[in-house]
Amino acid sequence: MLQMLGFKEFTDYLQLSPQGRMSKEGEKLFKQGVEDLKQATRRYAKQQVRWITNRFCARPGPSVPPVYSVDSTDLGNWDQAVAQAIQVVRAFTQGEVPAMAPEPTQRKVDSTVVREVCDVCGGRIFLHQHEWTGHLKSKKHRHNVKVAKERGKLSSILSARETQLKEKETSSQQQTSQSENSTCDSHGMVQLDNAVGTPVDGDCLLTPGVS
C-alpha cells in the first residue's frame, strides 16, 4: 500500500490521533500530503504519457490502435475534455471513426516479419523487427541481461570451486593409498611366535595352512 498514490503521501498524517489531526501540526502534515500527492500525480502522468508516446506513436505495430489526445490541463474546460473523451470511446465501441484526429505516428520503423525469442526474458516471442529492436532497448530487458550475467559469473565461480574440491579430494586419496602401500612394503617380513602363532613385529598376521 505504501506504493499507492494518495496513501504514502499521508502516512505521517494518518499516524496521528484524531485530536492530533485537528492540531496545527496535523493541518501542516495534511497540506504537505496534498502537495506531495499533486507532485507525485504529475510525475506519474508524465511517465504514462512518455510510455504511451514511445510505445504506440514512436514505434507503432500492425496491432496498435490509434491514440487520441485530450487536453485536460485547464480545469475550466474539464467538462468539454471529458465529453471529447466520451465521444472517442463511443465511436470506437460502435465501430465508427471519431470526429477528432488521432495523434501522429512516426512510421519510420522496420515492420519486417521475424521470429525472435528472448531467453533472458522468459522466452518472449516477437514477430516484427521493430518490436524486437524496441525490446532490446527496453529497461526490463537490460535489467534481465545484467541479472543473467551476474548469475553466469556466480555459476562459473561455483563450478571452479567444485572442480578444485574434487581435485583436492582425489589428491588426498592418492596420497593415502601411497602411504598404505609404503607401510605394507616396510613390514613384508614378519616373525611369528612358534607357541601361539602371533606376530612378534609387524602389522601382518600369518596363519599356517591359510593362504
Side-chain angles (χ1 to χ4, degrees), residues 40-169:
T41 302
R42 287 192 295 266
R43 183 167 57 249
Y44 180 74
K46 290 180 179 179
Q47 293 176 355
Q48 290 293 314
V49 171
R50 183 167 57 251
W51 184 87
I52 292 174
T53 302
N54 294 334
R55 176 62 182 85
F56 297 108
C57 297
R59 47 187 179 93
S63 60
V64 174
V67 178
Y68 296 87
S69 176
V70 177
D71 187 6
S72 59
T73 54
D74 187 1
L75 296 180
N77 297 328
W78 175 259
D79 294 337
Q80 182 180 357
V82 173
Q84 291 178 348
I86 293 176
Q87 181 184 6
V88 171
V89 175
R90 181 179 291 113
F92 179 79
T93 55
Q94 295 178 356
E96 301 176 355
V97 179
M100 62 184 304
E103 286 292 306
T105 57
Q106 302 175 5
R107 296 193 177 276
K108 296 180 181 180
V109 295
D110 187 0
S111 298
T112 305
V113 178
V114 297
R115 189 182 187 278
E116 299 287 350
V117 180
C118 185
D119 296 330
V120 297
C121 295
R124 290 187 59 186
I125 300 175
F126 299 88
L127 301 179
H128 295 88
Q129 184 61 43
H130 71 279
E131 295 178 350
W132 172 246
T133 303
H135 173 72
L136 295 178
K137 297 179 181 180
S138 64
K139 182 178 179 180
K140 184 176 181 180
H141 173 76
R142 286 179 289 155
H143 172 73
N144 291 338
V145 170
K146 181 179 179 181
V147 173
K149 289 182 179 179
E150 293 177 353
R151 290 179 178 175
K153 292 180 180 179
L154 179 60
S155 179
S156 300
I157 294 174
L158 293 177
S159 299
R161 180 56 177 168
E162 183 179 2
T163 303
Q164 183 181 7
L165 292 176
K166 288 183 179 179
E167 293 177 352
K168 184 177 181 181
E169 183 179 359

